[in-house]
Structure formats: structure tokens, C-alpha cells
Amino acid sequence: MALYSPFKIMVLCALFQAAAAESPSFEVVSGSCTVKGDGCVYSDNFGPGQEYSNNQDCVIKQNVPFQLDVRSFDVEEGVSWHVWMDAFLTPAGTPGSLLNPECFDFLEVNGVKFCGKIGPQGVTPAAGSELVWHTDWGVTLAGFKICAPRAGYPDTFGAGDASGAGDDWGDDGIGVGDGS
């Protein structure tokens, strides 16, 4: 006696395929970023004591809309030489002023460039949106780890803050070293 009829098996397969197709995830379209089985996307060379490479460009596609969970973010920002020259002529808080640095390396999400230690925590790109990673020829830092929410866990499970405190260097996304 069959435990499941062919119809029940077909329905179960369709349900599993639909769930997999709609699960939050990333896809690297081009470049050296990586997506791992933990549902996270990483800049190249991400890990303890590592730094991303110079002259990198990476395009990451987000397949369904979900809030980004920034586990670690440390990306070069700075003030270019022309800003130093114009420092006394540029009003504070305007683009390019000393109080509003430029992004030399950046992750662009929804048309906004993120750099420094503040990543796109909680930003929700639309389905099919592209996240664009770019590095220049100069300073390199730790980079980023950004995750999709995991089924059965709150969106912020194991997340360190955007400053990189409580970095989760592990590949399992369970919050190694951040007290969770």
C-alpha cells in the first residue's frame, strides 16, 4: 500500500519548489563577491584578518524583497584632495565637505552609496534589484557580510550592529561571537 498517492507527491513537490523560489536570497551576477549557504553575501576575502581587494566591481541580485540584515560593514570612506583644498569654501554638511565624506569604496543599494561603518541595515530592495559593490585603487578594509532573513528566525537573529561590533565571522550565520 502506497503511503502517498502520485497526486500528493506532485503537490508536495510543487509546494517545496514554490517555497524555494520565494526564499530570500542573493545571486552574484558578476564580480568576486560570494554567496554562501547561510543566506549571506560577502565582499571578496571577507573573514578574520582579511581585507577586500582593490579595483573590484560586483553586481548582486536580490531575488525577492526583504530587509537587509547587515552583520558586518567596514568600507573605505574619505575626503578627496579637492575637498581638502575647498574645505574652507564648502559649507559643512554639503556633499564633499569635511563633515560629509565621499565614498571611495561603496555598496550601492536603491541608488544610495553606503561606506564607512554604516551599511544598509533594514533597507528593503525590490525583487530583482541589484546591489552594486565597487572598490577603488587605494585603502582596503574588512568589507561586508549582509544576510537574508532565515526561515524560523527573526530578521535580526545573530546580527551585530552596523558598526561591525559583534562581527559574525562564522559561515553559519548563527551569531558566533556576538552574544546570541
Side-chain angles (χ1 to χ4, degrees):
M1 177 160 107
L3 187 58
Y4 292 106
S5 70
F7 176 75
K8 286 182 182 177
I9 292 172
M10 188 171 30
V11 169
L12 287 172
C13 287
L15 288 173
F16 285 127
Q17 287 174 346
E22 291 300 313
S23 65
S25 65
F26 302 101
E27 171 190 348
V28 175
V29 176
S30 65
S32 60
C33 298
T34 56
V35 176
K36 297 185 181 178
D38 59 0
C40 301
V41 63
Y42 299 79
S43 55
D44 69 307
N45 297 330
F46 183 85
Q50 301 293 314
E51 294 181 343
Y52 56 79
S53 302
N54 285 321
N55 302 311
Q56 296 294 307
D57 288 294
C58 178
V59 177
I60 305 152
K61 183 177 173 184
Q62 185 170 329
N63 67 348
V64 296
F66 57 83
Q67 283 190 351
L68 300 177
D69 181 5
V70 177
R71 302 286 178 94
S72 183
F73 199 87
D74 191 10
V75 175
E76 179 193 15
E77 65 180 339
V79 179
S80 63
W81 67 270
H82 65 84
V83 174
W84 284 109
M85 298 299 291
D86 295 336
F88 296 104
L89 303 174
T90 306
T94 59
S97 76
L98 291 175
L99 298 178
N100 190 10
E102 297 180 49
C103 291
F104 293 151
D105 300 340
F106 59 83
L107 180 68
E108 185 174 342
V109 181
N110 289 350
V112 177
K113 292 178 181 177
F114 293 87
C115 60
K117 295 190 178 289
I118 305 298
Q121 178 65 33
V123 173
T124 304
S129 290
E130 291 183 341
L131 289 67
V132 179
W133 169 240
H134 170 79
T135 69
D136 68 2
W137 52 268
V139 175
T140 59
L141 299 170
F144 65 84
K145 175 181 179 179
I146 299 176
C147 301
R150 293 174 37 163
Y153 295 98
D155 286 353
T156 58
F157 181 78
D161 64 25
S163 71
D167 286 337
D168 175 5
W169 297 108
D171 289 343
D172 61 5
I174 306 259
V176 175
D178 66 2
S180 57

